[in-house]
Amino acid sequence: MKDIKRKLTIGAMTASFAGLLFQVTVATSPAQSNDAALIAKAKGIHSRVLKLDTHNDIEPSNFTPDCNYTMRLTTQVNLPKMVEGGMDVSFMIVYVGQGPLTPEGFDNAYRQAVAKFDAVHRFTEQIAPDNMGLALTPADVLALHKKNLRIAVIGVENGYPIGTDLKRVREFYDRGGRYMSLAHNGNSQLADSNTGETQGYLYNNGLSPLGRQVIAEMNRVGMMVDLSHPSKGANMEAMRLSQAPVIASHSGVRALADVSRNMDDEQLLALKKNGGVIQVVGFASYVKTDSKERVDALAKLREEFGVAQAGGRGGGGGGGGRGRGGAGDGAVPNARTCPVESADGTAPQGRGARGGAGRGRGNAALDALSPERRAEYDKRLAEIGAKFPPAGRANVKDFVNHIDYAVKLIGIDHVGISSDFDGGGGIDGWNSAAEAFNVTLELVRRGYGEEQIGKLWSGNLLRVWGEVEKVSQRLRKEKG
């Protein structure tokens, strides 16, 4: 009798466990299976499409024989991280911040620009020619990709370094520059900047006479016109004047993040008519911004206390720096420590160890407040935070929302992907080239197919680049 009871008890327990197991299996297995299938699908697509990022800032001190992108530096982009993330192409940026519109300012900017051009050539031709090649045409990109090489392309951010010499457009093209924006933050000699919305314009929210000539010369030599950073008026004028399609190498959608750097619907529709492409940027504070109420409250508080805004913009700062990395102001170059990433992903100790100098910096006006005033400022700041919480840092889902919006408004053929890595870019889930797969995965989750993802990652940009080349050939033939 005891044996019978024991068997019945064991049988009941077994049946109960089996039932529980069945319930668990039924409840979780389909979701897990579907997720695994989706990830596998995304991995397959990610491995097959050509992946291109149109905006990665650089620092020449990271392109030397002893310290370079063959190493896993703390930079968001380097060869090990490109390989890990499956990234194929990096547009390395010749960036110079806006300075005075004087002969001395132009000369200084020119020297900085040449140093960055030279750095890319040195890396691809002398330091790591077996790892990365420099592409000068879309055909070069495809040929180098077939050789299993990573690919560098050069873009120019801010036309300031050309000064007032129109011949430098051709010079920068001959040095490898394949796109150029006519302004950055601050009006240049060529165009008004997006910052003119608050700081004022030089050319009535448009291009200067020299800027119009530069557009024509860029069309002639075959250099893509970049709309990221100039003012809306300058961009609209550039699209009207350009005989070739244009690009926005790293911009967001203003309807989703109201930042002057981003493109509103009018600009996006004009871009579609022009045949160009917006490379949606994974820069946290261009992807997700604080509410208008919070922005207004913070602006009022700063004005009351005489404190200018410092650090990042919008809802969250990006990672990386603005291509200054290394020695920093006043540092001795040979005292710099090469910023090789440690096992935990941090930078080594020592002067200039970071891969890029961050945008954030101290606020002297805030530091100068008396203890009483600073306490009051902090109290009021906390009250604003409680009433209007910060948006929080943008993530990959927020980023793909921008892609979705642009695709629905202007079509899949006019949208691409960029990061602004090492220039402030980065979002949760895509903080370096090593995490590029997460973008593809989210696109697959949203229902994008392989052909569409291929267009977003590279196809559309390569198409525009090719059309710019054709326009150049036609214009030079017409001129004789």
Side-chain angles (χ1 to χ4, degrees):
M1 189 69 178
K2 287 182 181 179
D3 286 342
I4 294 174
K5 286 183 178 180
R6 184 172 61 82
K7 289 177 180 179
L8 288 173
T9 301
I10 292 173
M13 289 173 62
T14 303
S16 176
F17 177 75
L20 178 62
L21 182 62
F22 175 78
Q23 290 175 7
V24 171
T25 302
V26 168
T28 62
S29 184
Q32 290 175 340
S33 176
N34 290 342
D35 200 46
L38 187 142
I39 291 172
K41 178 181 179 181
K43 284 182 176 178
I45 292 173
H46 195 72
S47 69
R48 290 187 294 270
V49 301
L50 180 72
K51 296 160 294 294
L52 174 156
D53 184 346
T54 42
H55 206 87
N56 302 148
D57 279 280
I58 62 167
E59 162 54 41
S61 60
N62 289 330
F63 289 77
T64 68
D66 297 328
C67 184
N68 60 67
Y69 274 23
T70 62
M71 307 169 184
R72 192 180 181 90
L73 305 182
T74 56
T75 52
Q76 292 168 292
V77 177
N78 49 59
L79 284 176
K81 291 179 183 179
M82 288 182 71
V83 170
E84 183 177 337
M87 286 303 300
D88 301 301
V89 187
S90 168
F91 271 72
M92 297 184 173
I93 303 306
V94 172
Y95 160 78
V96 180
Q98 188 57 49
L101 304 180
T102 63
E104 295 77 15
F106 295 139
D107 288 345
N108 181 50
Y110 175 75
R111 287 192 295 271
Q112 292 182 58
V114 169
K116 292 188 176 184
F117 278 118
D118 290 348
V120 179
H121 282 279
R122 183 166 58 248
F123 184 73
T124 56
E125 295 164 12
Q126 301 172 25
I127 297 173
D130 295 332
N131 303 105
M132 177 172 267
L134 177 63
L136 301 176
T137 67
D140 288 346
V141 170
L142 300 178
L144 289 167
H145 183 58
K146 285 183 179 179
K147 293 180 180 179
N148 294 318
L149 293 176
R150 304 294 153 171
I151 302 148
V153 189
I154 300 176
V156 181
E157 185 176 28
N158 199 3
Y160 176 49
I162 72 170
T164 57
D165 187 351
L166 195 62
K167 293 192 296 294
R168 281 189 179 166
V169 175
R170 181 56 194 250
E171 178 190 335
F172 281 13
Y173 178 86
D174 290 343
R175 288 181 180 274
R178 288 302 178 265
Y179 75 66
M180 182 169 72
S181 62
L182 270 60
H184 188 251
N185 292 335
N187 304 322
S188 73
Q189 77 280 22
L190 308 176
D192 280 325
S193 168
N194 74 94
T195 57
E197 286 192 17
T198 57
Q199 298 171 3
Y201 299 114
L202 285 180
Y203 315 109
N204 194 31
N205 190 12
L207 303 175
S208 71
L210 178 61
R212 298 183 188 103
Q213 293 178 38
V214 167
I215 294 286
E217 181 65 2
M218 291 175 72
N219 285 170
R220 190 188 71 81
V221 303
M223 187 184 292
M224 291 179 281
V225 176
D226 179 17
L227 305 184
S228 292
H229 281 291
S231 69
K232 175 181 177 178
N235 285 342
M236 296 297 286
E237 188 175 357
M239 285 186 276
R240 288 194 298 269
L241 290 175
S242 179
Q243 297 187 54
V246 302
I247 68 169
S249 69
H250 60 302
S251 293
V253 171
R254 192 157 190 178
L256 300 184
D258 190 10
V259 180
S260 62
R261 265 275 288 102
N262 288 344
M263 301 186 79
D264 64 14
D265 286 7
E266 185 179 8
Q267 291 181 80
L268 290 171
L269 291 168
L271 184 72
K272 177 181 180 178
K273 184 178 179 181
N274 166 272
V277 59
I278 176 175
Q279 299 290 112
V280 175
V281 66
F283 190 126
S285 54
Y286 298 147
V287 171
K288 189 175 181 181
T289 55
D290 290 333
S291 66
K292 186 177 185 302
E293 293 81 3
R294 177 177 171 82
V295 171
D296 291 346
L298 289 174
K300 185 176 179 181
L301 177 67
R302 294 188 191 104
E303 182 180 1
E304 180 181 340
F305 281 77
V307 176
Q309 183 173 0
R313 290 156 286 189
R322 167 44 82 191
R324 290 179 55 118
D329 296 341
V332 180
N334 60 13
R336 176 182 186 268
T337 301
C338 184
V340 178
E341 211 170 75
S342 61
D344 61 0
T346 59
Q349 297 299 310
R351 173 181 286 172
R354 298 180 59 197
R359 290 172 186 260
R361 50 190 179 274
N363 192 315
L366 188 60
D367 294 339
L369 293 177
S370 68
E372 295 77 17
R373 289 281 286 170
R374 179 59 185 265
E376 177 62 19
Y377 177 87
D378 290 343
K379 176 175 175 290
R380 298 268 296 281
L381 187 63
E383 290 171 352
I384 291 172
K387 189 173 182 181
F388 307 116
R393 195 165 189 264
N395 58 32
V396 173
K397 292 182 184 295
D398 299 316
F399 171 66
V400 177
N401 287 343
H402 283 244
I403 293 176
D404 278 345
Y405 185 99
V407 167
K408 288 172 184 174
L409 181 68
I410 62 177
I412 190 72
D413 293 329
H414 303 284
V415 185
I417 295 171
S418 68
S419 67
D420 204 356
F421 282 152
D422 296 310
I427 52 178
D428 284 351
W430 191 33
N431 270 309
S432 78
E435 296 182 314
F437 170 70
N438 292 335
V439 176
T440 300
L441 178 60
E442 183 60 24
L443 290 170
V444 172
R445 289 189 195 281
R446 302 285 177 105
Y448 289 90
E450 183 164 341
E451 182 182 358
Q452 294 173 311
I453 292 172
K455 288 183 176 184
L456 293 170
W457 265 122
S458 63
N460 293 333
L461 189 282
L462 293 176
R463 169 188 60 79
V464 169
W465 188 359
E467 290 175 5
V468 169
E469 286 188 322
K470 290 177 183 177
V471 170
S472 169
Q473 292 165 4
R474 174 176 60 80
L475 291 175
R476 282 182 286 175
K477 185 176 180 181
E478 289 174 357
K479 192 171 182 180

